[in-house]
Amino acid sequence: MARRPEPRAQLMALTALVLDGARVDPQRQPGESLVEWQRDVAAQLGVLPRHPRTFRELLDGVLRLHRVMKGLGDPLKDGPASYETASDTAADGRASLAS
């Protein structure tokens, strides 16, 4: 069985694809294979992945992984693993941020 590439190489390749998708249409939903790839790299780095709905959100997640890989702090270490907005959480019955 062939060894898979190191996380850094995988992240560089993933970044190129995601950046291209975000450049073309940042609001488009990314394919499940790209989202799964981001989750896999995040797991290899010991990071809880977020669940992107658009290429823009996926790009944010990939850039976060670059930050972690460089040894910088994870800005979302203690935050939620989703991109929900205050209106999303209020709509499904959870407390909103505007209280």
Side-chain angles (χ1 to χ4, degrees):
M1 186 166 109
R3 273 186 36 202
R4 72 176 160 187
E6 295 294 320
R8 183 179 188 288
Q10 289 186 55
L11 187 54
M12 295 303 288
L14 176 61
T15 302
L17 293 172
V18 171
L19 188 57
D20 191 48
R23 181 187 55 80
V24 171
D25 186 358
Q27 296 306 314
R28 193 177 90 208
Q29 182 177 358
E32 186 58 35
S33 61
L34 288 177
V35 174
E36 193 58 41
W37 192 2
Q38 180 240 4
R39 289 178 187 149
D40 183 55
V41 173
Q44 292 177 56
L45 296 175
V47 174
L48 181 64
R50 297 185 76 181
H51 309 287
R53 297 174 292 198
T54 66
F55 265 100
R56 176 65 189 142
E57 291 175 358
L58 183 57
L59 181 59
D60 287 345
V62 167
L63 293 175
R64 176 179 163 234
L65 295 178
H66 276 280
R67 180 180 171 87
V68 169
M69 185 171 283
K70 287 182 178 183
L72 302 172
D74 181 357
L76 302 174
K77 179 180 169 200
D78 299 319
S82 71
Y83 281 92
E84 292 177 330
T85 64
S87 61
D88 292 338
T89 55
D92 72 2
R94 290 183 276 167
S96 73
L97 298 175
S99 41

